[in-house]
Amino acid sequence: MSTPISYFVVVSAMLFAIGTVGVLVRKNALVIFMSVELQLNAVNLALVAFSRMHGNLNGQILAFFSMVVAAAEVVRELARGFSS
């Protein structure tokens, strides 16, 4: 028995809302970047859930590339923070 897709969508929406509040309320750059990462993870969860529902790998591949770009952004920001 599999978990209904609505559960994944609800969790994804809650994660995205928490990330949005974090971006709008906080002033610390590190916390803002963590909130953006939370939003990206929420979108990735939705992509993978819908990909699984439709039985193809397109959403999972897009989520993988999204994680690669997010990791590159973190590395860039950390390098910029250490150099100043």
Side-chain angles (χ1 to χ4, degrees):
M1 181 163 173
S2 66
T3 308
I5 189 129
S6 61
Y7 292 174
F8 293 108
V9 173
V10 167
V11 170
S12 177
M14 289 188 320
L15 286 174
F16 194 85
I18 292 168
T20 303
V21 169
V23 168
L24 295 175
V25 172
R26 300 294 183 162
K27 294 185 191 256
N28 186 359
L30 185 62
V31 176
I32 290 173
F33 285 127
M34 287 172 40
S35 297
V36 169
E37 289 290 328
L38 193 62
Q39 289 177 319
L40 286 172
N41 286 330
V43 171
N44 288 340
L45 175 64
L47 281 171
V48 171
F50 285 121
S51 174
R52 182 176 173 209
M53 181 180 76
H54 291 294
N56 62 13
L57 294 177
N58 293 341
Q60 294 178 13
I61 292 170
L62 189 60
F64 175 73
F65 283 119
S66 172
M67 287 187 282
V68 169
V69 170
E73 288 176 359
V74 168
V75 168
R76 181 187 56 131
E77 290 300 322
L78 284 175
R80 197 173 90 178
F82 286 133
S83 65
S84 53

